[in-house]
Structures are given as C-alpha cells and as structure tokens.
Amino acid sequence: MDPVTLIVAALAAGAGTGLKDTTAQAVKDAYAGLKALVLRRVHDTPAGEVAVVEHEKDPDTWSAPLAKTLATSGAGQDGELVAAAQRLMELLDPAGAQAGTYTVTATGDHSVAAGVIHGGVHIGDTRP
C-alpha cells in the first residue's frame, strides 16, 4: 500500500470508528493525532482543509480529492505522518498489521510499500 493510500485509508477507518463512544481512547487519540498532522500538512494547499473535513463526513466521495491533495503536498514522504497512519491502522487491525498488510517504508526522496519483495528493487535509469 503506497503511503498516500495508507493515510487516506487510516483517516477513513479512524473516522468510522473513532467517533463512537465505545472506541478505545488509544484509537481516538491516534485518529486525532493523524488528523492534526494531515491538517498541518495540507494547510497551505488550496482546499486542503476542506478535503480533510469533508472526507471525514463522506469518505467514498472525498477519498480521491484527499489523496490528490496529500500527494501534491508531499504527505507520502512525511515519515511522521506515514508512521501515524500506520500506527492507527495497527490499533484498528492488529492482525493486518502483523501480516505486513500496512508496511510502508518512506525515506529520502523515495518510498517503497510492499508485502513481499522477491529479488532486488531498482530506482533510476541505470542498474547498479
């Protein structure tokens, strides 16, 4: 799962469960922290805050606009933001996290998201 997709999925999952009275406080806190990081990231992006707020109300309609806003703002390369999304997903679905479903590594200018990689990974125009 690429980092932006992970962030959007975590926001949708957190909004769906984080607003209920029966949800664990750790999930509510993780969702609030992720949302705050996302809002800070898209603050200077046109309609960024609108996309976040509207996504919380209607994830089906607003997932694509939010993903585009996050990609444009460089959210996929923000290690703190990606880690917060991954942490929320781990709290919501520990079995999925243990299976590596949400594993994302983001460093430098490149990100790699994979459950399993067989062989090497090459980035760029020339082979090592």
Side-chain angles (χ1 to χ4, degrees):
M1 182 178 301
D2 73 272
V4 170
T5 302
L6 173 67
I7 295 165
V8 173
L11 284 170
T17 61
L19 304 177
K20 298 176 184 174
D21 290 338
T22 58
T23 303
Q25 190 61 44
V27 172
K28 291 178 183 179
D29 292 345
Y31 173 71
L34 174 61
K35 185 177 171 185
L37 288 171
V38 169
L39 285 169
R40 186 170 55 208
R41 170 56 77 170
V42 301
H43 178 71
D44 294 330
T45 305
E49 291 182 40
V50 172
V52 175
V53 171
E54 293 301 322
H55 179 263
E56 185 174 57
K57 297 175 195 173
D58 185 4
D60 291 336
T61 301
W62 285 89
S63 286
L66 179 59
K68 183 175 181 179
T69 299
L70 290 171
T72 302
S73 72
Q77 288 77 40
D78 185 330
E80 181 182 14
L81 183 52
V82 172
Q86 189 164 1
R87 176 68 182 137
L88 177 57
M89 294 301 276
E90 289 169 354
L91 289 170
L92 292 170
D93 182 13
Q98 288 174 351
T101 306
Y102 311 116
T103 301
V104 176
T105 303
T107 59
D109 295 335
H110 305 288
S111 298
V112 175
V116 176
I117 297 176
H118 296 281
V121 175
H122 171 71
I123 299 172
D125 294 333
T126 59
R127 299 237 173 228

